[in-house]
Amino acid sequence: MKTKIGIVGTGWRAGFFLRAAKELPDLFEIAGMVYHSEAGKDRAAQWQAPLFENPEQLVRETSPDYVIVSVSRKTGAARTITAELAAMGVPV
């Protein structure tokens, strides 16, 4: 059974998780990615994964088994996004 993974972020950190999932297609399925800018949307397109504007939309439309928050800690966004996902009952 495949594990459906959602990813919040489109930068180099997210790339590590995406490459691992692509190498293990029998184990992982990328449910989608959340981007926050047009540049991020363009970067994410290379992975050919469904794209979402926010974590809530990703969760609502794909029901991932868990979500990886792969954004910079410097802005504080990782903490906020993690708390929002946890409040929705999504493993992070």
Side-chain angles (χ1 to χ4, degrees):
M1 184 168 106
K2 289 185 183 184
T3 301
K4 283 178 39 176
I5 301 168
I7 299 179
V8 177
T10 61
W12 64 271
R13 290 173 189 85
F16 289 110
F17 297 104
L18 290 159
R19 282 189 290 281
K22 295 282 184 183
E23 291 293 320
L24 300 166
D26 293 340
L27 299 177
F28 300 106
E29 172 187 344
I30 301 300
M33 298 177 70
V34 176
Y35 65 93
H36 76 278
S37 69
E38 287 303 312
K41 186 176 182 179
D42 292 343
R43 279 193 307 273
Q46 72 175 316
W47 296 103
Q48 300 174 341
L51 300 177
F52 299 92
E53 294 181 2
N54 57 63
E56 296 81 11
Q57 181 187 24
L58 168 71
V59 171
R60 183 179 60 250
E61 294 184 22
T62 69
S63 301
D65 295 311
Y66 67 90
V67 175
I68 297 167
V69 179
S70 185
V71 298
S72 174
R73 294 183 308 169
K74 292 179 185 177
T75 65
R79 182 177 298 135
T80 302
I81 294 165
T82 298
E84 290 171 358
L85 288 164
M88 288 187 274
V90 178
V92 181

